[in-house]
Amino acid sequence: MSTEQKILLVDDEQDILEFLSYNLKKEGYSVFIANNGKEAITVAKKVTPDLIILDVMMPDMDGIETCRGLREIPELKNVMIAFLTARNEDYSQIAGFDVGADDYINKPIKPRVLISRIKALLRRGTGTESNKTDKVDTGGIKIDRERYVIEKNGVEINLPKKEFELLALLASKPGKVFTREVILDLVWGGDVVVGDRTIDVHIRKLREKIGEDFIKTIKGIGYKFEF
Amino acid sequence: MSTEQKILLVDDEQDILEFLSYNLKKEGYSVFIANNGKEAITVAKKVTPDLIILDVMMPDMDGIETCRGLREIPELKNVMIAFLTARNEDYSQIAGFDVGADDYINKPIKPRVLISRIKALLRRGTGTESNKTDKVDTGGIKIDRERYVIEKNGVEINLPKKEFELLALLASKPGKVFTREVILDLVWGGDVVVGDRTIDVHIRKLREKIGEDFIKTIKGIGYKFEF
DNA sequence: TTATTTTGTTAATGTTAAGTTAATTTAGAT
DNA sequence: ATCTAAATTAACTTAACATTAACAAAATAA
């Protein structure tokens, strides 16, 4: 792997910041902190973190507002954002706001749960440049991560998990060839070992569903998405 | 953002009015004051505030009565109303009154808490016409968070807490897929560990009660609400 | 209080979609 | 022509969810 992954913590409570910071640093993340929304935006701009963990309840500028602010910054469009919510909070409000959060984590926080959540989140983020906000590939294919559907010429198509992720990966950078190795690593996960033909079959099913001409085979190398 | 938001403060104690007024003005709100219920109604009619903060304990016409009066005025149907209650007050009494209050704020008041509460309140208010809790999902399902009741095609259905919260969460953003993890965290809480099939069972019961077609399973990911 | 009902959770089992493999065919490279 | 990589299809395996009933724990009523 390349460089250390950066996480920005935003909370007004010092002890929570310390607690989280400690646990995340122990896991090898590079941790930045901010005490309020404004600071968060400043820091985020500077370091472009891979993940931002935002407390919802903060005086002055709360998590939701901060999130909005962050999302308006072009460089931060693709950053993962997770909300920290207190128990009993009216989460429907939070979740409902179309603010582009990627995860919601409840207090009290259990370090192990947190870490595994974060890993999952960051995993999703890697490899893809535009993991978050849906991307419209001008060929008429739209990938909606939030709703887990793709749209072809306005028609929704439901894809199973692996197929969806495979397509999302390929389409994340149209034209780029993804080797079978890379695909296995990113879609299946580094440790899982599956047979050599598995990818082919998934490609087959995808082509069946979205049309034959989107995924192109580069013999001896891998596949690429084109339109 | 467009125009400045208006807040009406109603209290018989001058120092509280001043204290609140000062803090709210500092935040950029346009503040109006009234010393009693009658005055409150007059002023409210004139300025149509976005939020009214009402002290419960007032001589002559108390907060509850005032609130009733306010709610009878058509133009004020959608205004947010928050009650100011003293700490030891039996506010179950107040909350019980189906008077259409949107929040309860406890004295003594901490400015920061107050501000963030107010912001949350006003945010809830904007965008929606129905000031109150309910959210109508065009599929014919209405969720009344205050009474823990949902309405399907005008028929009230009583849901137990967990079922209600699960539905409320899913319906808070129709279409969006909520992972089992997120559901567990937000509905059950980060620390509580429940078995793996618990969510399924609740989903089952919900589907039984509201119909099979509202909640959709995304295998390997989670569930989403759709209509 | 004790009884009764409602709610929440678990455990056991069934079902199905998703994922994988294997066998065979086709196409591309050298 | 020969070798290798990929396509294709169907068979198979597994993981994920559905379903039901049983149980426990709250809440409510008597």
Side-chain angles (χ1 to χ4, degrees):
Chain A
M1 181 126 284
S2 51
T3 172
E4 215 170 38
Q5 288 189 294
K6 291 169 283 181
I7 299 179
L8 169 59
L9 304 174
V10 189
D11 201 321
D12 58 310
E13 290 166 79
Q14 204 55 36
D15 46 342
I16 291 191
L17 280 178
E18 269 166 33
F19 170 75
L20 291 176
S21 180
Y22 169 77
N23 281 288
L24 292 174
K25 273 182 183 152
K26 211 172 58 182
E27 285 294 315
Y29 294 108
S30 177
V31 180
F32 301 82
I33 59 173
N35 294 290
N36 55 61
K38 250 186 141 175
E39 222 180 291
I41 291 176
T42 316
V43 178
K45 258 190 201 154
K46 197 172 286 170
V47 306
T48 332
D50 301 285
L51 168 68
I52 301 173
I53 299 178
L54 269 178
D55 191 5
V56 173
M57 269 299 268
M58 289 188 295
D60 217 38
M61 187 179 189
D62 70 22
I64 295 166
E65 272 184 82
T66 308
C67 186
R68 281 231 180 77
L70 288 166
R71 283 286 186 235
E72 271 165 23
I73 301 162
E75 306 91 270
L76 303 176
K77 275 265 155 58
N78 305 324
V79 172
M80 288 278 167
I81 297 184
F83 273 136
L84 223 54
T85 66
R87 201 107 179 60
N88 289 337
E89 224 158 343
D90 190 357
Y91 50 78
S92 69
Q93 292 291 330
I94 303 155
F97 271 100
D98 193 9
V99 106
D102 301 290
D103 202 359
Y104 306 90
I105 299 168
N106 228 315
K107 291 193 251 187
I109 302 155
K110 278 194 167 180
R112 310 190 163 184
V113 180
L114 178 77
I115 299 295
S116 88
R117 267 306 245 294
I118 284 175
K119 280 191 179 153
L121 266 174
L122 286 174
R123 165 98 76 90
R124 254 208 281 162
T126 45
T128 322
E129 260 61 62
S130 75
N131 62 79
K132 177 55 210 145
T133 28
D134 337 344
K135 183 174 187 177
V136 189
D137 303 312
T138 11
I141 297 226
K142 189 158 76 176
I143 296 174
D144 191 331
R145 255 236 144 62
E146 188 170 82
R147 312 199 310 130
Y148 233 83
V149 287
I150 68 154
E151 229 179 70
K152 192 201 167 183
N153 304 324
V155 186
E156 277 194 1
I157 303 175
N158 255 298
L159 295 182
K161 196 166 118 189
K162 283 271 154 64
E163 281 168 43
F164 183 89
E165 281 180 354
L166 175 53
L167 177 61
L169 173 63
L170 294 178
S172 73
K173 195 156 189 196
K176 166 168 180 172
V177 183
F178 291 84
T179 67
R180 299 173 93 87
E181 258 188 347
V182 170
I183 292 174
L184 276 182
D185 239 36
L186 261 38
V187 176
W188 272 261
D191 44 349
V192 185
V193 182
V194 291
D196 222 26
R197 300 268 63 74
T198 301
I199 295 177
D200 307 37
V201 176
H202 282 272
I203 293 283
R204 174 84 261 284
K205 287 180 180 163
L206 273 175
R207 295 213 250 239
E208 222 165 51
K209 287 174 190 169
I210 67 169
E212 304 291 324
D213 304 328
F214 288 99
I215 299 166
K216 206 174 167 190
T217 307
I218 314 298
K219 223 173 160 157
I221 312 289
Y223 299 89
K224 69 175 168 178
F225 181 91
E226 255 175 350
F227 47 82
Chain B
M1 184 125 286
S2 50
T3 171
E4 215 171 38
Q5 290 189 292
K6 291 169 282 181
I7 299 179
L8 169 59
L9 303 174
V10 189
D11 201 322
D12 59 310
E13 292 166 76
Q14 204 55 38
D15 47 342
I16 291 191
L17 281 178
E18 268 167 34
F19 170 73
L20 290 176
S21 180
Y22 168 77
N23 281 290
L24 292 174
K25 274 182 183 153
K26 210 172 56 180
E27 285 296 314
Y29 294 107
S30 177
V31 180
F32 301 82
I33 58 173
N35 294 290
N36 54 61
K38 248 184 141 175
E39 221 178 293
I41 290 176
T42 317
V43 178
K45 258 191 201 153
K46 196 171 287 168
V47 305
T48 331
D50 301 284
L51 168 68
I52 301 173
I53 299 178
L54 269 178
D55 191 7
V56 173
M57 273 297 271
M58 288 188 299
D60 215 36
M61 189 181 187
D62 70 21
I64 294 166
E65 268 184 86
T66 309
C67 185
R68 279 231 182 75
L70 288 166
R71 281 287 186 232
E72 270 165 23
I73 300 162
E75 306 91 89
L76 303 176
K77 276 267 152 59
N78 305 324
V79 173
M80 286 279 165
I81 298 183
F83 274 137
L84 222 54
T85 65
R87 187 165 281 293
N88 291 326
E89 227 157 343
D90 185 1
Y91 74 100
S92 65
Q93 292 285 334
I94 304 154
F97 275 102
D98 191 11
V99 107
D102 301 289
D103 201 1
Y104 305 91
I105 298 167
N106 252 318
K107 289 193 256 188
I109 301 157
K110 282 190 170 178
R112 320 199 119 193
V113 180
L114 176 77
I115 298 296
S116 93
R117 273 293 252 296
I118 284 175
K119 279 192 177 154
L121 266 173
L122 286 173
R123 194 169 38 233
R124 247 208 282 168
T126 47
T128 328
E129 259 57 62
S130 62
N131 74 91
K132 273 194 81 150
T133 38
D134 328 1
K135 181 178 181 180
V136 188
D137 304 311
T138 12
I141 298 225
K142 192 157 76 175
I143 295 174
D144 189 332
R145 175 164 287 290
E146 203 158 17
R147 306 199 302 132
Y148 261 82
V149 165
I150 69 153
E151 227 180 71
K152 192 200 168 183
N153 304 323
V155 187
E156 275 197 1
I157 304 174
N158 248 297
L159 293 182
K161 196 166 75 211
K162 282 274 152 61
E163 280 169 45
F164 182 87
E165 283 185 349
L166 175 54
L167 178 62
L169 174 62
L170 294 178
S172 73
K173 188 152 193 202
K176 169 167 178 165
V177 182
F178 291 84
T179 67
R180 297 173 95 87
E181 262 186 344
V182 168
I183 292 173
L184 274 182
D185 234 26
L186 261 40
V187 176
W188 273 263
D191 46 348
V192 185
V193 181
V194 290
D196 222 24
R197 299 269 63 73
T198 301
I199 294 179
D200 309 35
V201 175
H202 282 271
I203 293 282
R204 173 86 255 289
K205 288 178 180 163
L206 275 175
R207 294 213 250 238
E208 222 165 52
K209 288 173 191 172
I210 68 169
E212 303 290 322
D213 303 328
F214 287 99
I215 298 167
K216 203 175 167 194
T217 307
I218 313 297
K219 242 182 155 161
I221 311 291
Y223 298 90
K224 67 176 168 179
F225 180 91
E226 254 175 350
F227 46 82

